[in-house]
Amino acid sequence: ARSGSLLEAEQLTVGYGAAPVLRDVGLTVAQGSITAVLGANGAGKTTLLRTLSGLLRPTAGRVVLDGQDLRGVKVEQMVRRGVAHVPEGRGVVTELTVDENLRLGGLWRHDRADAKRALDEVYELFEPLARRRRFPGHQLSGGERQMLALGRALVGRPRLLLLDEPSLGLAPRVTAQIMGLLRTLRDRTGLTVLLVEQNVRSALSVADTGIVMSLGRVVANADAATLRDDEDMRHAYLGF
Ligand code: ATP
């Protein structure tokens, strides 16, 4: 493994049935970086995230976290290795309160004292959640649910956060808030983030690096500013 890289994927081929959805996908994610995964609907972004978090198994290639091959590591062990996946649609348990949802994120942890500290930090970070501790999930707005899903992941103190479309359905102001928060977390704690986004502008505004996917392949991998300024790239793949 190259020094400074937390996650590497090598020549991944992944599919749900006969035809592969990802073909020969490779990437390197630096420790403490924010990477935007971009590309049109159906490009394979969600499939990539699900493969990196262990939900899907590649038929070829491998994923390496901290120099360790993840082949054979069970999904439920991934969280203990510091990988948190916040799927599209968020997965908030709507019957449970905000507080209960957040505590779910730390149930597996042996260090109870630190789980409590992490919970308090999430409340500090997400003031709307602190005000709604006892509210059931179904009474939250879309933005609050997104914060809750993110907060629940953070209670587990992940090293790598895999976020699928956090801005989906959110007002621009809330999206900007969440993007700003990712920066804060990275700066404060060295968190590494992989962010799938349809909202290319906001993703590139927060990311250091961008990976552009098309039809299951990586067609560009460059720093965010380079992608932003590349007119051909923008027209061909990024739609702005
Ligand atoms: P979107 O932004 O629409 O989620 P995406 O870039 O995340 O797009 P994926 O969701 O990874 O793309 O889908 C890539 C391809 O895999 C698509 O052609 C899709 O139809 C197919 N696919 C996704 N999930 C499944 C599944 N569970 N079973 C079969 N095919 C699937």
Side-chain angles (χ1 to χ4, degrees):
R2 206 163 50 132
S3 90
S5 83
L6 177 64
L7 178 79
E8 289 173 64
E10 294 168 4
Q11 296 182 300
L12 287 180
T13 299
V14 185
Y16 299 92
V21 167
L22 298 184
R23 295 158 198 267
D24 202 21
V25 166
L27 56 91
T28 300
V29 177
Q31 162 77 46
S33 64
I34 300 179
T35 303
V37 180
L38 308 169
N41 282 330
K45 306 179 297 294
T46 295
T47 301
L48 175 62
L49 237 55
R50 292 169 61 83
T51 306
L52 297 177
S53 71
L55 286 170
L56 286 173
R57 296 291 155 181
T59 51
R62 60 181 198 149
V63 179
V64 177
L65 180 72
D66 250 351
Q68 270 199 311
D69 192 326
L70 293 179
R71 206 179 328 223
V73 174
K74 296 199 179 87
V75 177
E76 57 270 25
Q77 289 169 351
M78 292 296 283
V79 66
R80 294 181 190 274
R81 289 179 183 240
V83 178
H85 183 187
V86 181
E88 198 179 328
R90 299 150 196 177
V92 162
V93 185
T94 51
E95 295 79 11
L96 297 182
T97 65
V98 166
D99 200 63
E100 289 163 342
N101 268 283
L102 288 178
R103 283 169 195 276
L104 282 181
L107 277 185
W108 58 275
R109 300 191 60 202
H110 296 302
D111 188 343
R112 303 312 305 160
D114 189 64
K116 175 73 174 80
R117 266 197 301 280
L119 181 69
D120 292 340
E121 285 171 24
V122 165
Y123 279 131
E124 257 169 58
L125 217 47
F126 298 95
E127 190 257 340
L129 296 184
R131 279 188 277 120
R132 291 169 177 73
R133 275 172 211 244
R134 312 275 165 237
F135 279 48
H138 65 82
Q139 286 186 16
L140 302 181
S141 70
E144 288 161 356
R145 284 184 204 204
Q146 186 55 46
M147 286 180 199
L148 183 52
L150 192 52
R152 187 172 57 190
L154 294 175
V155 170
R157 289 219 194 280
R159 290 184 302 151
L160 174 65
L161 186 62
L162 304 170
L163 273 181
D164 204 346
E165 306 242 4
S167 79
L168 201 72
L170 300 188
R173 186 182 48 82
V174 183
T175 298
Q177 249 174 17
I178 288 187
M179 298 296 157
L181 202 73
L182 294 179
R183 278 269 190 170
T184 305
L185 284 166
R186 186 275 297 278
D187 294 344
R188 272 199 214 157
T189 69
L191 180 69
T192 306
V193 182
L194 214 69
L195 173 71
V196 166
E197 260 300 339
Q198 291 290 334
N199 191 334
V200 176
R201 281 169 197 274
S202 66
L204 287 179
S205 74
V206 69
D208 310 296
T209 305
I211 291 172
V212 182
M213 297 186 68
S214 176
L215 304 174
R217 293 180 189 275
V218 174
V219 294
N221 185 345
D223 58 75
T226 304
L227 289 175
R228 251 190 331 254
D229 297 341
D230 184 335
E231 208 165 310
D232 294 338
M233 178 61 60
R234 280 175 19 207
H235 289 303
Y237 298 110
L238 302 179
F240 78 100

